[in-house]
Amino acid sequence: MATFSKYWNKIKDYLNPYIHQSIREGLYRKNIQSTHDIALAFSVVEIVVLIYYYLFKKEVLSSSFVVPSAIYALAVSILALIASHYALNDSKHPFSAYRNVYVAYFITFIIYGMISSFYEYSHGLQMFIFFAIIFCLVNFILLPPATSSVLIWGSYLIFYMVLHSYDGAKKINLFNYIIFALLTLIGSFNKYRMQATELERIHRIETMNDMLQNVPVHDNITNMKNRYALRDDFTSYQNHHIIVVMLDLDEFKKVNEDYGQSAGDAILAQVGSCIKTYLTESHSYRYGSDSFLIILQDIELSDALQRLSIWERNMATLSIPELNKPIHYTSGYSHGTPRDEDELRMLIEAADRKRRDFS
């Protein structure tokens, strides 16, 4: 019983997948745009064909079927074109308010295909229009699986019943007909899910980008960049020789507990000022609550060591405000030429390991 329930839930999820409302709006917009494009293309083609027949093959227009069917198809396409154009330019209502436009166009266009193909069938011609139209609509209009099941399967079923009532559908291979209907239906399902998955992926990326853009990249206490700014600065380090320095303040949490957060903030401000003065201002980061990252770029190792030596001497003069106690810290460094973000991360981790080894 549990197995049946599991498979039944999978079937329900396949036929009616959960899609975020913003993604649904994207699908609605795509369908309305597709309806607009199909209706425009078909209107133009139908008018051109009618003009061609009028100028060069007037005998075709004498048929009692051709002109009425052409007028029907043209009228339906023009109405769909007007409705979809209005929907695309209506800023007051969501696209979901116009989803019936493309469903109605799908149905009315399929009816045109049935009528045309029945005419072909009854005159001993090769049926083409019904299958061509349903193939076109399935490829351009994205229908939810439940809706496409009703519309596509219903279209094939109704058309077959019409042919069967005419002559028993003698010219139809029922097996091939059913297989073609199933393939059309499965193609519609997969296209919808693939497009929904792609829109979901784009939505996640845009959401993450918005979140990242709203993440502050500046630390107000030290007036330095923070670790989130590092992602924006990576290209300036890529394929450049750099020296990475990691610094951690010792027992910083205890300082905050014993002397208050204001004392801790003052220590951070002093350390940040010393780093910017003696090492680098534009390539230094407050990397964590009590850690700092310094990147020296395009500098010889001997020059960097000399600069680090001067910086360490000045760090030794810093003290906890009003207590005249020195600020203790541990540091480590690594150097290399990162080709990508992973290699930069490896250099940072190597500097941090040396810091821990030293401590």
Side-chain angles (χ1 to χ4, degrees), residues 38 42 106 109-110 112-114 116-117 120 126-140 156 159 180 184:
I38 295 171
F42 193 83
F106 190 103
F109 216 34
I110 287 293
Y112 166 76
M114 289 181 185
S116 299
S117 287
E120 295 170 338
Q126 184 71 35
M127 289 192 303
F128 171 75
I129 297 178
F130 171 74
F131 298 105
I133 285 176
I134 205 165
F135 178 79
C136 178
L137 292 175
V138 165
N139 272 276
F140 287 97
Y156 277 98
F159 187 51
F180 196 82
T184 307

Side-chain angles (χ1 to χ4, degrees), residues 6 13 15 20 22 30 41 53 56 69 87 141-142 166 179 182 204 247 276 284 294 319 330 341 343:
K6 180 178 70 174
D13 178 65
L15 291 176
H20 191 275
S22 61
K30 277 185 172 292
Y53 282 150
F56 303 105
S69 66
I141 295 180
L142 303 166
Y166 175 71
I179 292 298
L182 286 173
R204 286 199 303 269
L247 176 149
K276 289 187 293 181
S284 54
I294 303 102
S319 61
T330 54
E341 292 186 31
E343 290 191 0

Side-chain angles (χ1 to χ4, degrees), residues 6-297:
K6 180 178 70 174
Y7 284 115
W8 175 244
N9 289 333
K10 285 185 178 181
I11 293 172
K12 287 197 298 183
D13 178 65
Y14 186 76
L15 291 176
N16 189 28
Y18 170 77
I19 300 176
H20 191 275
Q21 184 58 36
S22 61
I23 306 301
R24 289 183 185 275
E25 283 297 308
L27 290 171
Y28 293 144
R29 189 194 185 288
K30 277 185 172 292
N31 282 336
I32 294 170
Q33 183 66 59
S34 295
T35 301
H36 178 274
D37 295 343
I38 295 171
L40 177 61
F42 193 83
S43 299
V44 171
V45 169
E46 195 71 20
I47 291 170
V48 169
V49 169
L50 286 173
I51 292 174
Y52 172 78
Y53 282 150
Y54 179 78
L55 294 176
F56 303 105
K57 292 187 177 182
K58 288 186 179 180
E59 66 275 9
V60 175
L61 298 179
S62 62
S63 168
S64 60
F65 170 79
V66 172
V67 174
S69 66
I71 292 174
Y72 170 84
L74 188 58
V76 166
S77 293
I78 290 175
L79 287 173
L81 180 63
I82 294 170
S84 57
H85 179 77
Y86 180 81
L88 291 170
N89 290 280
D90 182 10
S91 58
K92 295 181 180 179
H93 299 92
F95 294 113
S96 56
Y98 296 97
R99 61 181 178 271
N100 290 330
V101 170
Y102 57 81
V103 173
Y105 187 58
F106 190 103
I107 294 171
T108 52
F109 216 34
I110 287 293
I111 292 172
Y112 166 76
M114 289 181 185
I115 295 171
S116 299
S117 287
F118 177 75
Y119 176 83
E120 295 170 338
Y121 182 87
S122 62
H123 285 73
L125 303 174
Q126 184 71 35
M127 289 192 303
F128 171 75
I129 297 178
F130 171 74
F131 298 105
I133 285 176
I134 205 165
F135 178 79
C136 178
L137 292 175
V138 165
N139 272 276
F140 287 97
I141 295 180
L142 303 166
L143 295 174
T147 305
S148 62
S149 297
V150 174
L151 292 181
I152 295 173
W153 194 251
S155 299
Y156 277 98
L157 180 61
I158 291 171
F159 187 51
Y160 183 80
M161 291 173 63
V162 169
L163 298 180
H164 191 273
S165 64
Y166 175 71
D167 67 352
K170 295 177 182 178
K171 303 174 187 176
I172 298 294
N173 185 315
L174 183 58
F175 178 78
N176 290 341
Y177 189 84
I178 292 174
I179 292 298
F180 196 82
L182 286 173
L183 291 176
T184 307
L185 196 60
I186 292 170
S188 176
F189 289 177
N190 289 338
K191 188 172 180 63
Y192 180 83
R193 293 181 71 87
M194 286 173 63
Q195 188 63 61
T197 301
E198 178 65 15
L199 288 175
E200 185 72 41
R201 185 183 67 82
I202 293 171
H203 175 71
R204 286 199 303 269
I205 291 173
E206 290 176 346
T207 301
M208 290 177 65
N209 286 339
D210 290 341
M211 290 174 62
L212 290 174
Q213 287 175 1
N214 293 325
V215 171
V217 295
H218 185 266
D219 177 55
N220 293 326
I221 297 174
T222 61
N223 201 27
M224 301 170 73
K225 298 176 183 179
N226 62 23
R227 65 186 302 163
Y228 299 109
L230 192 59
R231 69 177 186 274
D232 298 324
D233 293 347
F234 168 70
T235 53
S236 65
Y237 304 132
Q238 189 176 16
N239 297 320
H240 288 266
H241 184 263
I242 59 173
I243 297 169
V244 178
V245 181
M246 282 296 295
L247 176 149
D248 257 32
L249 300 177
D250 297 337
E251 299 183 347
F252 182 73
K253 183 179 179 181
K254 189 173 187 304
V255 171
N256 272 333
E257 292 173 350
D258 292 347
Y259 307 113
Q261 186 175 347
S262 58
D265 290 348
I267 292 172
L268 293 171
Q270 287 186 72
V271 173
S273 178
C274 189
I275 290 172
K276 289 187 293 181
T277 301
Y278 296 102
L279 290 178
T280 175
E281 183 170 359
S282 57
H283 301 297
S284 54
Y285 309 84
R286 185 181 175 190
Y287 203 66
S289 61
D290 59 354
S291 63
F292 295 83
L293 169 67
I294 303 102
I295 297 179
L296 304 177
Q297 182 177 346

